[in-house]
Amino acid sequence: MQTLQVRTPSHAYPIHIGKGLLADFSLFAPHIGKKAAIVTNTTVSALYAGALEKLLRDNGVETFSIVLADGEAHKNHQSLLQIYDALLAHRADRKTAVVALGGGVIGDTAGFAAATYQRGVPLIQIPTTLLSQVDSSVGGKTAVNHPLGKNMIGAFYQPQAVIADLDTLTTLPEREFSAGMAEVVKYALLGDAAFLAWLEENIGGIMRQDADLLAQTVAHCCQMKADIVAQDETEQGIRAHLNLGHTFGHAIEAEMGYGNWLHGEAVAAGMVLAAELSRVQGCLNAGEVARVSALLRAAALPVVPPEFPFERWLAHMRHDKKVQNGQMRFVTLRRLGEAQVSVLDDENLLRQVLSA
Amino acid sequence: MQTLQVRTPSHAYPIHIGKGLLADFSLFAPHIGKKAAIVTNTTVSALYAGALEKLLRDNGVETFSIVLADGEAHKNHQSLLQIYDALLAHRADRKTAVVALGGGVIGDTAGFAAATYQRGVPLIQIPTTLLSQVDSSVGGKTAVNHPLGKNMIGAFYQPQAVIADLDTLTTLPEREFSAGMAEVVKYALLGDAAFLAWLEENIGGIMRQDADLLAQTVAHCCQMKADIVAQDETEQGIRAHLNLGHTFGHAIEAEMGYGNWLHGEAVAAGMVLAAELSRVQGCLNAGEVARVSALLRAAALPVVPPEFPFERWLAHMRHDKKVQNGQMRFVTLRRLGEAQVSVLDDENLLRQVLSA
Ligand SMILES: NC(=O)c1ccc[n+]([C@@H]2O[C@H](COP(=O)([O-])OP(=O)(O)OC[C@H]3O[C@@H](n4cnc5c(N)ncnc54)[C@H](O)[C@@H]3O)[C@@H](O)[C@H]2O)c1
Ligand SMILES: NC(=O)c1ccc[n+]([C@@H]2O[C@H](COP(=O)([O-])OP(=O)(O)OC[C@H]3O[C@@H](n4cnc5c(N)ncnc54)[C@H](O)[C@@H]3O)[C@@H](O)[C@H]2O)c1
Ligand SMILES: [Zn+2]
Ligand SMILES: [Zn+2]
């Protein structure tokens, strides 16, 4: 097991990464009181909730589960109300821990519920998808979707601990594993050249879920995210770089209907568009854009966005959270390994990228 | 005009108190960008929204109003969704300020919307009731109600500024003015003996809304609240004292149906119960309890709770946010002017107080 520390102005917490962690009560003990609510979904519940409930109960923690419907379509106010209702029905109080057991959808929804139930109760993140282990469980962004925009309602709320058990990835569908790799590639494009090269070299082994390579990958990404979050908890600056590919990606998800394109798939195609925008801006060359595509393809990810009218792209992107005082902003690459936020005042650049 | 400063770990902001403030753009200018959403209700909108909209527009701020139904019954998720929908429809972004124009219901609801829309946008509180000027607009507690409990869903979120225009109190119904006085009396019971004596002496003039006395009252209460919040932003300790009378009060509000007993009225009766509990605990004497009642009566407030079965009191109070690991906790008075939090393990004490 490896343990990293996330230090934010609001508090510090550990990320544990390894195998067999869901059977280790000592990781939970410091963060859990007399009562805990496990928030999960129908799929993950069938696989892991029973063992976790038993672990907690055997150690004297009164436990109840809140099982949401599975899918991005349920990352909404209705699921939130389901969680609140259950917390109140079980007389959860300010010391009752919320344990988010699942992928990013569960982490974001349960995290927002924990942030707002009685103005905040302890939260433990147990990410069970690659995407949530390398990205969404770390850093304290929580949210639900609104019919007019993804992640529109949320809070910054740090967990007490993140427990990433690599064993859970064995049951993950391949398509979901690939989707998580999109965020891994994102870190490689944002960070040091050495990690990008290492990833290109080892992508085959990682895709076969070689245990050591996987552990290294998750730990490296978590460390990068932890460093960025420590510098900028509430996304006033550098944290925005983590949105590389996401402005385009969110537009794809919204246009295609949440869940039809997976988040990671949409972000993969979005990163190619961001790379292309960086090329049009004169920062990357065509070979570098091709290198981005090749790596994503090696992770079995789409690199071409679905086709829909330019006006629809604009309509979605105008709702993006990076819009400020009405101006659209994009994360682009100054070079491979270094991102920047550009204000886009020339819609034609965008039209060019999207029609290519 | 007087200006106080609230300093919390998360940030510092001014409270402006005086007459004619709603016509002074300089108070808004530092906190407002290109666009602002005024959140108000049908009653307050008719009285003050027009002038405020004009002030902002004349100064180049694009403005739109979100008018909620009036009343505690509408401090709920439905109003919240109404605000989110309107913010998205008007393409509000992270720099768009939410201006809460109204009493505590508007402040709490709009405040929570501002805390959670896109994970937080700037918030300006313009309290227009006595209760909201002396209490709810300061300190960053925001919330909406859940059918199973008051203020159950919320966040700690500090405004950029509080602008308390005393002129708005002239249109406030007498009953609402009295309800605000309950919180004023609360500060007197929590704080120094001098303020309690001053209040007993001047209660007549304050009830007649003498301008100077009123300004002094609001400023003193805001200062007390600011000091407490500065010490304890997220209610880990001393801030809980501000809940004097509120555990009983919330039970009354919930049992009678939110809005039938005003919050301040319920808190007034609740403070008499808290004083009585303090007497049963051996802290106050009967004369001191009578002094509390007399002051509340002078403010035209109820001092006897409605009658309902003990089990109903318990049922409501078990949902209180001060419950920790299942134990009920009450704010009581060690003496007039000094509060404490007591864990109540003997239900009989409670039964005795409630049946008296
Ligand atoms: N908060 C953040 O910082 C952040 C960052 C990135 C993404 N996100 C959010 O994360 C979400 C995507 O997360 P995701 O990709 O984990 O999707 P997800 O939570 O929907 O999980 C994907 C699918 O895998 C299933 N699953 C989960 N764990 C499993 C396991 N161990 N075995 C078998 N099946 C399993 C789920 O039930 C689901 O059907 C999006 O809503 C996105 O907005 C948030
Ligand atoms: N956040 C906190 O720290 C905190 C503290 C105390 C109370 N509260 C909350 O505050 C709420 C009570 O606030 P309230 O007493 O202001 O009630 P309120 O907001 O319902 O206002 C009372 C009534 O007066 C009307 N009104 C408001 N301003 C007016 C004006 N200037 N002229 C004429 N009518 C006016 C309103 O429309 C309403 O009908 C409760 O929900 C309570 O939980 C919050
Ligand atoms: Zn992502
Ligand atoms: Zn109150």
Side-chain angles (χ1 to χ4, degrees):
Chain A
M1 186 181 83
Q2 297 177 65
T3 299
L4 313 173
Q5 288 287 334
V6 186
R7 284 174 219 287
T8 71
S10 66
H11 86 149
Y13 59 93
I15 310 174
H16 305 294
I17 301 163
K19 296 171 77 69
L21 307 193
L22 284 190
D24 185 351
F25 185 70
S26 73
L27 303 178
F28 293 84
H31 314 292
I32 223 160
K34 283 190 185 174
K35 204 189 261 192
I38 299 174
V39 180
T40 185
N41 70 21
T42 45
T43 308
V44 180
S45 171
L47 294 164
Y48 303 108
L52 182 60
E53 278 177 18
K54 187 169 178 323
L55 178 79
L56 298 181
R57 285 193 189 142
D58 287 353
N59 286 280
V61 181
E62 186 190 331
T63 302
F64 59 98
S65 286
I66 304 171
V67 183
L68 306 181
D70 188 0
E72 180 76 32
H74 300 282
K75 184 172 149 179
N76 60 15
H77 259 90
Q78 209 175 317
S79 294
L80 211 52
L81 294 177
Q82 183 184 341
I83 300 174
Y84 295 145
D85 289 351
L87 290 172
L88 277 156
H90 286 88
R91 302 189 187 291
D93 64 38
R94 280 189 180 162
K95 301 271 177 190
T96 304
V98 167
V99 181
L101 174 70
V105 167
I106 288 295
D108 281 11
T109 310
F112 185 57
T116 53
Y117 181 70
Q118 300 204 4
R119 299 196 188 92
V121 294
L123 169 67
I124 298 177
Q125 289 279 10
I126 307 189
T128 64
T129 62
L130 180 58
L131 184 140
S132 55
Q133 293 191 351
V134 298
D135 193 352
S136 62
S137 66
V138 175
K141 272 198 190 179
T142 70
V144 295
N145 299 327
H146 182 281
L148 294 182
K150 201 173 142 62
N151 293 331
M152 277 294 154
I153 312 302
F156 288 99
Y157 194 70
Q158 302 294 340
Q160 298 297 309
V162 179
I163 301 174
D165 188 335
L166 299 171
D167 286 340
T168 60
L169 299 183
T170 56
T171 54
L172 195 65
E174 277 176 23
R175 190 176 162 200
E176 295 292 349
F177 187 86
S178 284
M181 287 302 295
E183 308 280 2
V184 173
V185 171
K186 177 184 81 179
Y187 289 109
L189 297 178
L190 296 179
D192 54 322
F195 181 63
L196 178 58
W198 181 87
L199 190 63
E200 288 175 321
E201 193 161 315
N202 293 292
I203 186 80
I206 296 168
M207 293 304 292
R208 284 189 304 276
Q209 300 204 22
D210 174 278
D212 276 354
L213 292 176
L214 201 51
Q216 282 180 63
T217 302
V218 173
H220 183 90
C221 293
C222 284
Q223 187 65 61
M224 272 191 70
K225 179 128 187 199
D227 290 346
I228 290 173
V229 169
Q231 286 174 59
D232 178 19
E233 183 174 12
T234 55
E235 198 165 321
Q236 309 298 312
I238 188 175
R239 186 167 182 171
H241 292 180
L242 292 171
N243 288 314
L244 181 69
H246 280 61
T247 304
F248 294 112
H250 289 161
I252 296 173
E253 287 183 272
E255 178 68 22
M256 304 310 285
Y258 291 126
N260 292 324
W261 275 59
L262 298 181
H263 175 73
E265 293 170 344
V267 167
M271 282 191 293
V272 178
L273 291 170
E276 187 59 23
L277 182 58
S278 313
R279 190 187 65 75
V280 173
Q281 286 180 323
C283 294
L284 295 192
N285 62 41
E288 291 168 316
V289 177
R291 207 175 143 192
V292 173
S293 292
L295 184 54
L296 291 166
R297 267 197 307 267
L301 284 162
V303 295
V304 178
E307 264 183 58
F308 52 91
F310 184 62
E311 277 57 43
R312 303 285 308 157
W313 284 98
L314 279 188
H316 293 301
M317 294 191 299
R318 285 215 182 93
H319 280 309
D320 189 78
K321 285 195 290 303
K322 281 181 298 306
V323 171
Q324 285 185 1
N325 288 327
Q327 280 185 313
M328 279 197 283
R329 295 145 73 90
F330 286 83
V331 183
T332 55
L333 293 167
R334 199 192 302 271
R335 51 178 187 77
L336 292 185
E338 190 185 345
Q340 61 187 0
V341 177
S342 336
V343 173
L344 205 83
D345 28 30
D346 182 1
E347 269 181 16
N348 281 325
L349 279 190
L350 210 55
R351 196 183 287 271
Q352 188 180 336
V353 165
L354 287 168
S355 60
Chain B
M1 185 181 83
Q2 297 177 66
T3 299
L4 313 173
Q5 287 287 334
V6 186
R7 282 174 220 288
T8 71
S10 65
H11 87 149
Y13 58 94
I15 312 173
H16 304 293
I17 301 162
K19 297 170 80 66
L21 308 192
L22 284 189
D24 185 352
F25 185 70
S26 74
L27 304 177
F28 293 83
H31 315 293
I32 223 159
K34 283 192 187 173
K35 204 189 261 193
I38 299 174
V39 180
T40 185
N41 70 21
T42 45
T43 308
V44 180
S45 172
L47 293 165
Y48 303 108
L52 182 59
E53 277 177 19
K54 186 168 179 323
L55 178 79
L56 298 181
R57 285 194 189 141
D58 286 353
N59 287 279
V61 181
E62 186 190 331
T63 302
F64 59 99
S65 286
I66 304 172
V67 183
L68 307 181
D70 187 1
E72 180 76 32
H74 300 283
K75 184 174 150 179
N76 60 15
H77 259 89
Q78 209 175 317
S79 294
L80 211 51
L81 295 178
Q82 182 183 341
I83 299 174
Y84 295 144
D85 289 350
L87 290 172
L88 277 156
H90 286 88
R91 302 188 187 291
D93 64 37
R94 281 187 178 163
K95 301 272 177 188
T96 303
V98 167
V99 181
L101 175 70
V105 166
I106 288 296
D108 281 11
T109 311
F112 185 56
T116 54
Y117 181 70
Q118 300 205 4
R119 300 195 186 93
V121 294
L123 169 66
I124 298 177
Q125 290 279 10
I126 307 189
T128 64
T129 63
L130 180 59
L131 184 138
S132 56
Q133 294 191 350
V134 297
D135 194 351
S136 63
S137 66
V138 175
K141 273 198 189 179
T142 69
V144 295
N145 300 326
H146 183 281
L148 294 180
K150 200 174 142 60
N151 292 333
M152 277 294 153
I153 313 302
F156 289 99
Y157 193 70
Q158 303 294 340
Q160 299 297 311
V162 179
I163 301 174
D165 188 336
L166 299 171
D167 287 340
T168 60
L169 300 182
T170 55
T171 54
L172 195 66
E174 277 177 25
R175 191 176 160 198
E176 296 292 348
F177 188 86
S178 284
M181 286 303 294
E183 308 281 1
V184 173
V185 171
K186 177 184 81 178
Y187 288 110
L189 297 178
L190 297 179
D192 55 321
F195 181 62
L196 178 57
W198 181 87
L199 192 62
E200 288 176 320
E201 193 161 315
N202 293 291
I203 186 79
I206 296 169
M207 293 305 291
R208 283 189 303 275
Q209 300 203 25
D210 173 282
D212 276 353
L213 291 175
L214 201 52
Q216 281 181 66
T217 303
V218 173
H220 183 90
C221 294
C222 285
Q223 187 66 60
M224 272 192 71
K225 180 128 187 201
D227 290 346
I228 291 173
V229 169
Q231 286 174 59
D232 178 19
E233 183 175 11
T234 57
E235 197 166 324
Q236 308 298 312
I238 186 175
R239 186 167 181 172
H241 293 179
L242 292 172
N243 288 313
L244 180 70
H246 280 62
T247 303
F248 294 112
H250 288 163
I252 296 172
E253 286 183 273
E255 178 68 22
M256 305 310 285
Y258 291 128
N260 291 324
W261 274 59
L262 298 182
H263 175 74
E265 292 169 345
V267 168
M271 282 193 292
V272 177
L273 291 169
E276 187 59 24
L277 182 58
S278 313
R279 190 186 65 75
V280 174
Q281 286 179 324
C283 293
L284 294 192
N285 62 41
E288 289 168 318
V289 177
R291 205 174 144 192
V292 172
S293 294
L295 184 54
L296 290 167
R297 267 197 307 269
L301 284 163
V303 295
V304 178
E307 264 183 61
F308 52 91
F310 184 61
E311 278 57 43
R312 303 285 308 157
W313 284 98
L314 281 188
H316 291 301
M317 295 191 300
R318 284 213 184 93
H319 280 308
D320 189 77
K321 284 195 289 303
K322 279 181 299 305
V323 170
Q324 285 186 1
N325 287 327
Q327 281 185 311
M328 278 197 284
R329 296 146 73 88
F330 286 83
V331 183
T332 55
L333 293 168
R334 198 192 302 271
R335 51 177 189 79
L336 292 186
E338 190 185 346
Q340 61 187 2
V341 176
S342 337
V343 174
L344 206 84
D345 25 31
D346 182 0
E347 269 181 18
N348 282 325
L349 279 191
L350 211 55
R351 196 183 288 273
Q352 189 181 333
V353 165
L354 287 168
S355 61

